[in-house]
Amino acid sequence: MLTDTQQQPLIERIRDIGHPEAVRRFFGLLKELIDIVNLPNGDARLAFVVRQEKAAITAHINYFQALRIQRQRRSEVEYHLTVKKSCQERLSILEELVFEPITEKSDYVAAIIGQSNVHLLYQPVLRTCWEDCLLELVETSKRGPHSARHNADVYRAAEDEAFLSEVIRLADDPTLGDRRLNDYTAEEPEAEYETEPELNNQPHNLILYGPPGTGKTFALQPYLRETSDRASLITFHPAYSYEEFVEGIRPEVINGQISYRIRKGIFYKACMSAIQQAGYATLADCLNDSAETRQQKLKKAPPHYLLIDEINRANVASVFGDLITLLETDKRLGAENELWLTLPYSQERFGVPSNLFVVATMNTTDKSIALLDIALRRRFSFREVVPDPSVLGVVDGVDLAQLLRTINERIEYLLDRDHQIGHAYLTSIETYADLCTAFRDRIIPLLQEYFFNDWAKIQLVLGDNAAWGKDPDLRLVRVKKKYTSAAAGKLFGELPDFIDEVVTYELNPHLQQGEVEQIPADAFVKIYQKQ
């Protein structure tokens, strides 16, 4: 509940400014000002003034304007940061900045930033000039007092997030602004809700993991087909970053000039789509709503799905940053222990709605789940997707299902279960020629990568080792030549000290040349069936 002291003028000015997120950004700057000058509420050197004659809120230090937000009629919101005149040359690199003298003879000027160029507020050179100026203003000999003009509630709003949220909420409702607020709290009418939709009984954060070719990416397709307007798809890569995923400052060229603007990423947009399913226009509207109403709306809203393919190819801890905590089910907006934070670039409040579901895929040949960041593992559920030989048939007498089972059992023994071969490598095979091509172009090169060109182990996997009993002509991988000591001496003219016995290998020449008619079906049958 707000006391009826000085908050009514503050509410009216916030309403005149008409931009809740800009107001929050201003109060974030004001909180920084308070921390820098280190002066308490009511100190004679401070005056936080709500101007009656214009839509402006101003912070004064020792009679000097230090920070202001204002909105002139039919213009965008402006931020005024006071800097020393001597800083103008340093700030000339920021071409969008406009400078305005504080007074005719003042040594200080206001650097004016419009809402369309709000990213400039976070330029290091501007922040340094502004912070240096604040320290100078607080030490000037031209002192207050300002007690007659100081609005203590402005100071309180900068320090108290809950109080600031309340005054912004009241400013958004003109009918509340005309009432006396000291006798009661404003009650929001109970909302009417439609029948609750049935949500999938799946975790909020799910990772499908397994070897390549097991159908993990294919498992995302139903979300895209059935909820195409409520699903977002992204593929991670090693260079993917927080700035691309959530928000960041990016360059753009306008009329041949480079400018920098804050751009939202797919995660932010997915959260926006999710809260819009609940009937909110913006995240600010959602956060400004009462907790009970927000919980009911988000609970009954249709789900939105963020689909992330190859999640472990990026540095996930870096991409999610401090948002990793907000992913927890009980920390989401609308949950019992809901949390939100302030984004680093836009300074907007941000939370993850409870009707957003994150479904990701992970290739275990790239990284085992045991090697993932512990914080990530704790916040995600993991569902293994394994090879399914039962979907495979028989081609020219070759039982593809048994072939895949045998190969994978050998790989699991020699390596581990994370490096098995998925059934998708064989599902598209319709002819014997397709089978030969799949082994030559996909499966054998994959085994080379798995075993780091250890051809003896590749022979074991394919049943081409001598002990298995395959005829030499049926082997897909053959011994090309064995170099005994005598053969090595003949090759080099002397016996190298570091060579005992070397074996070289080659692909079956018929397989290499694509001469499939020269390769008997037994070359594949005898991979899983011993003579």
Side-chain angles (χ1 to χ4, degrees):
M1 184 175 69
L2 297 175
T3 57
D4 192 13
T5 55
Q6 296 175 308
Q7 88 282 341
Q8 192 61 42
L10 175 59
I11 292 170
E12 291 172 357
R13 296 295 78 75
I14 291 174
R15 185 180 302 136
D16 293 339
I17 292 169
H19 197 305
E21 287 305 322
V23 170
R24 287 191 176 277
R25 190 173 291 112
F26 167 78
F27 277 96
L29 292 170
L30 193 59
K31 175 65 168 64
E32 292 183 42
L33 181 150
I34 292 169
D35 292 341
I36 290 169
V37 300
N38 195 27
L39 297 176
N41 199 358
D43 189 285
R45 289 166 286 181
L46 288 181
F48 294 169
V49 180
V50 177
R51 299 288 296 274
Q52 297 285 348
E53 66 274 12
K54 60 175 68 175
I57 304 172
T58 308
H60 293 271
I61 300 176
N62 284 322
Y63 281 127
F64 290 97
Q65 173 185 306
L67 177 66
R68 170 183 287 183
I69 183 174
Q70 71 177 39
R71 183 172 194 161
Q72 296 178 346
R73 184 173 299 180
R74 288 192 293 273
S75 69
E76 65 177 351
V77 176
E78 294 178 345
Y79 306 87
H80 294 226
L81 279 66
T82 300
V83 298
K84 293 183 285 187
K85 277 185 176 179
S86 58
C87 278
Q88 280 186 261
E89 185 175 349
R90 290 175 60 191
L91 296 172
S92 61
I93 59 173
L94 307 178
E95 296 180 358
E96 299 93 337
L97 277 184
V98 176
F99 296 98
E100 183 179 276
I102 300 296
T103 62
E104 186 176 346
K105 297 182 179 181
S106 176
D107 293 330
Y108 306 101
V109 294
I112 302 174
I113 300 167
Q115 182 64 27
S116 60
N117 292 311
V118 71
H119 61 279
L120 296 179
L121 286 174
Y122 310 103
Q123 287 289 332
V125 62
L126 176 60
R127 298 304 289 269
T128 299
C129 289
W130 180 58
E131 292 168 7
D132 290 346
C133 184
L134 294 180
L135 294 173
E136 185 173 300
L137 292 179
V138 81
E139 297 298 331
T140 184
S141 58
K142 189 174 183 180
R143 305 255 171 185
H146 289 299
S147 56
R149 295 193 296 156
H150 178 62
N151 187 318
D153 280 346
V154 176
Y155 192 111
R156 179 184 172 192
E159 294 280 20
D160 187 339
E161 170 70 22
F163 180 80
L164 176 61
S165 297
E166 185 71 357
V167 294
I168 292 177
R169 188 181 72 85
L170 295 174
D172 284 341
D173 188 341
T175 62
L176 289 176
D178 296 332
R179 304 174 190 170
R180 291 185 61 83
L181 304 173
N182 56 326
D183 297 328
Y184 59 89
T185 57
E187 296 291 338
E188 183 170 350
E190 186 175 349
E192 303 257 340
Y193 299 100
E194 298 179 358
T195 304
E196 180 178 352
E198 293 185 7
L199 297 180
N200 290 347
N201 293 322
Q202 69 173 53
H204 272 102
N205 309 308
L206 174 66
I207 290 180
L208 306 175
Y209 73 97
T214 52
K216 300 181 294 299
T217 302
F218 183 77
L220 302 180
Q221 298 305 312
Y223 297 102
L224 296 171
R225 288 196 304 266
E226 299 167 14
T227 61
S228 58
D229 59 334
R230 294 186 282 107
S232 309
L233 174 65
I234 183 68
T235 300
F236 277 7
H237 55 80
Y240 205 69
S241 66
Y242 176 93
E243 285 72 19
E244 291 176 277
F245 191 55
V246 185
E247 70 166 15
I249 298 176
R250 301 182 194 172
E252 61 181 33
V253 179
I254 302 176
N255 297 326
Q257 299 293 322
I258 297 178
S259 62
Y260 296 86
R261 295 182 182 276
I262 295 175
R263 290 284 180 258
K264 303 300 185 184
I266 192 170
F267 185 71
Y268 182 97
K269 293 175 181 177
C271 290
M272 280 293 299
S273 296
I275 65 150
Q276 286 168 357
Q277 296 292 333
Y280 294 109
T282 66
L283 274 167
D285 293 337
C286 178
L287 292 169
N288 291 337
D289 206 351
S290 66
E292 181 180 355
T293 304
R294 178 167 56 246
Q295 183 179 33
Q296 291 176 344
K297 285 186 175 182
L298 290 172
K299 181 180 179 181
K300 297 177 184 295
H304 186 91
Y305 298 96
L306 175 61
L307 311 175
I308 305 174
D309 199 19
E310 304 284 1
I311 188 172
N312 57 314
R313 291 189 66 219
N315 184 337
V316 183
S318 175
V319 170
F320 279 95
D322 51 1
L323 301 183
I324 193 73
T325 299
L326 303 186
L327 285 175
E328 294 185 46
T329 299
D330 67 327
K331 304 295 192 306
R332 290 171 174 245
L333 298 180
E336 181 181 359
N337 301 313
E338 63 177 3
L339 292 176
W340 58 81
L341 49 74
T342 301
L343 295 175
Y345 295 101
S346 64
Q347 293 296 295
E348 295 177 15
R349 292 180 302 158
F350 181 79
V352 179
S354 57
N355 64 323
L356 178 73
F357 290 81
V358 180
V359 183
T361 68
M362 174 179 163
N363 192 332
T364 52
T365 59
D366 293 332
K367 183 188 294 184
S368 168
I369 61 170
L371 301 177
L372 285 182
D373 184 274
I374 292 177
L376 178 73
R377 297 212 320 261
R378 186 167 64 84
R379 290 172 171 90
F380 275 82
S381 298
F382 289 83
R383 186 174 299 163
E384 187 175 21
V385 183
V386 297
D388 184 9
S390 66
V391 302
L392 302 175
V394 178
V395 173
D396 280 9
V398 180
D399 186 342
L400 298 183
Q402 188 58 41
L403 175 69
L404 184 64
R405 289 191 191 97
T406 301
I407 288 176
N408 279 337
E409 185 176 359
R410 290 168 178 168
I411 291 174
E412 187 172 359
Y413 181 90
L414 295 171
L415 207 55
D416 55 53
R417 65 184 289 112
D418 290 337
H419 287 77
Q420 297 180 79
I421 296 175
H423 51 270
Y425 282 87
L426 300 173
T427 50
S428 62
I429 291 175
E430 297 180 356
T431 66
Y432 184 69
D434 292 339
L435 177 61
C436 293
T437 301
F439 267 78
R440 183 191 66 184
D441 296 344
R442 303 185 67 194
I443 294 176
I444 293 178
L446 183 65
L447 294 175
Q448 284 182 259
E449 181 182 340
Y450 281 180
F451 292 102
F452 300 98
N453 283 322
D454 187 337
W455 288 96
K457 289 184 177 178
I458 295 174
Q459 276 198 317
L460 288 172
V461 170
L462 297 177
D464 289 336
N465 54 304
W468 186 249
K470 248 187 185 182
D471 291 339
D473 290 342
L474 300 180
R475 295 174 188 172
L476 301 180
V477 175
R478 301 176 174 181
V479 173
K480 183 178 180 181
K481 191 168 186 178
K482 280 188 178 182
Y483 288 91
T484 61
S485 299
K490 184 177 179 181
L491 178 65
F492 294 103
E494 61 180 350
L495 184 63
D497 295 335
F498 55 86
I499 293 180
D500 294 324
E501 185 175 279
V502 173
V503 180
T504 60
Y505 300 84
E506 65 178 357
L507 283 185
N508 185 312
H510 297 306
L511 181 66
Q512 183 73 53
Q513 298 299 323
E515 299 169 347
V516 297
E517 67 279 358
Q518 301 297 322
I519 306 172
D522 276 354
F524 297 97
V525 172
K526 294 187 182 300
I527 290 177
Y528 56 87
Q529 192 175 84
K530 189 174 182 181
Q531 284 183 330

